[in-house]
Amino acid sequence: ALPGQLTELARIRQHVFRMMRLSRNLQDSSMAQLGELEPHFTQEDLTAFCADLLDRLEPICRQKNITLRRDLPQERLDCRVDPELLLRMVCNLVSNAVKAQPEGGSIDVSLRAGDREEVMITVIDHGPGLRDGIPESGFHRRDPRELTTRPGMGLGLALTRAFAELQ
C-alpha cells in the first residue's frame, strides 16, 4: 500500500472503531436505564490500574499538547470494581478533558481512598466546563441540529455517571 492509502485506511479504521464504540454506548445506555446493566466485579489494585491506564493515555495527550499529571497513592489501593467499566469511565473523562482544551493545557488525575471502603478518582481539566452542569443518567432526545454543532452523542458523561452508580 502507498503512504496515502495507509492514511486513508487509518482514517477508515478510526471511523469503524468510533461506530463500534457508539453502538456499545447506545446499548449500555438503554441497559442502564432499564436497570439491566450487570457489573462484573473483581478485586483490583487501583493504584496500579490507574498508573497503567495513565501511561497508555499519556502519549495521546502529548500529541494534543496536553500535560497529563497524576496524583496516585504510593501504596496499593485495593477495591472491588468492574475493571472494564472503570476503564471506560476514566477514558471518557480524560477524552472529554482533552476535547475541552483544543489549544492544549493540562489534565490532573488523582486517586484517593474515601470513607467506608470507597475510592475517588478525580479528573480535572482547565477548559471552559459544562454549561448545563452534570448530566442525568440515561439517553435523552436532543435537538437534531446539535448533531452537527456539538461533538459526540452526549452519552459519555451519562454513561460514566451510570457506571459509577453501579460500582
Side-chain angles (χ1 to χ4, degrees):
L2 299 172
Q5 290 173 322
L6 290 177
T7 303
E8 180 65 15
L9 288 174
R11 194 176 66 73
I12 290 170
R13 182 176 179 216
Q14 184 179 34
H15 288 299
V16 167
F17 282 120
R18 283 183 181 160
M19 292 300 295
M20 290 168 53
R21 187 174 62 235
L22 173 61
S23 174
R24 177 92 186 268
N25 286 346
L26 285 169
Q27 179 183 13
D28 286 347
S29 179
S30 64
M31 289 178 68
Q33 203 164 34
L34 295 170
E36 297 177 358
L37 191 60
E38 292 282 330
H40 301 284
F41 294 111
T42 60
Q43 196 72 15
E44 299 286 334
D45 171 9
L46 292 189
T47 302
F49 181 94
C50 287
D52 176 61
L53 178 55
L54 295 175
D55 286 346
R56 292 187 285 155
L57 292 173
E58 202 158 27
I60 297 166
C61 291
R62 203 173 319 118
Q63 281 182 330
K64 303 287 186 177
N65 198 28
I66 292 176
T67 303
L68 184 60
R69 298 185 295 228
R70 59 183 80 193
D71 182 11
L72 305 177
Q74 295 296 314
E75 68 280 350
R76 288 180 61 97
L77 184 54
D78 290 313
C79 189
R80 189 175 158 263
V81 297
D82 180 318
E84 181 186 340
L85 295 183
L86 183 61
L87 173 84
R88 289 174 64 193
M89 289 168 57
V90 175
C91 285
N92 180 65
L93 293 173
V94 170
S95 173
N96 285 355
V98 167
K99 291 175 196 169
Q101 304 174 102
E103 304 300 317
S106 63
I107 300 171
D108 301 308
V109 179
S110 68
L111 171 65
R112 294 280 176 263
D115 300 336
R116 302 174 315 209
E117 299 181 8
E118 295 176 351
V119 297
M120 181 171 30
I121 298 173
T122 307
V123 177
I124 299 172
D125 66 65
H126 303 280
L130 289 174
R131 289 181 307 213
D132 305 326
I134 298 173
E136 294 181 25
S137 299
F139 182 72
H140 299 285
R141 185 176 296 240
R142 287 175 50 183
D143 184 333
R145 292 172 294 210
E146 289 183 14
L147 295 176
T148 58
T149 59
R150 285 180 51 184
M153 290 292 296
L155 294 174
L157 287 178
L159 276 174
T160 297
R161 181 177 177 164
F163 293 165
E165 289 170 353
L166 279 172
Q167 306 225 30

